Amino acid sequence: MAGDQLPKAETPDDTVTISSIGEVVDLVAADENSISEAAKKLEISEDEETLIIRMFNLVGDRWSLIAGRIPGRSAEEIEKYWNSRHSTNQNN
């Protein structure tokens, strides 16, 4: 096999064709970075959670107001956290 080229294989239309080992390494690294970034963003401290709950009880789902009280957090992060932890099942 010449260089670091991978052999060609038949692939369905919805897959990515990777032509070199370098591309595989880059894809794995990019995937790991996006996972670790997502995990960091969802890590809410106990103090932040307490504040989010107290603020939600005062102002409801006004996420920008709540985020304004927590340095480094966006309204989208607060809403995503709230919906992932405190959502209720509407089907019951």
Side-chain angles (χ1 to χ4, degrees), residues 1-61:
M1 201 180 307
D4 62 353
Q5 294 292 317
L6 297 175
K8 290 191 176 197
E10 292 186 30
T11 59
D13 292 338
D14 62 344
T15 62
V16 175
T17 302
I18 299 172
S19 62
S20 73
I21 299 297
E23 285 184 50
V24 172
V25 172
D26 290 343
L27 288 172
V28 169
D31 192 43
E32 287 175 357
N33 287 339
S34 65
I35 291 169
S36 63
E37 284 297 314
K40 285 180 192 173
K41 297 233 182 230
L42 290 178
E43 290 178 10
I44 302 284
S45 72
E46 192 174 320
D47 289 340
E48 288 175 319
E49 181 174 18
T50 300
L51 184 55
I52 292 168
I53 293 168
R54 291 177 73 195
M55 289 292 296
F56 183 84
N57 289 334
L58 289 171
V59 300
D61 63 356

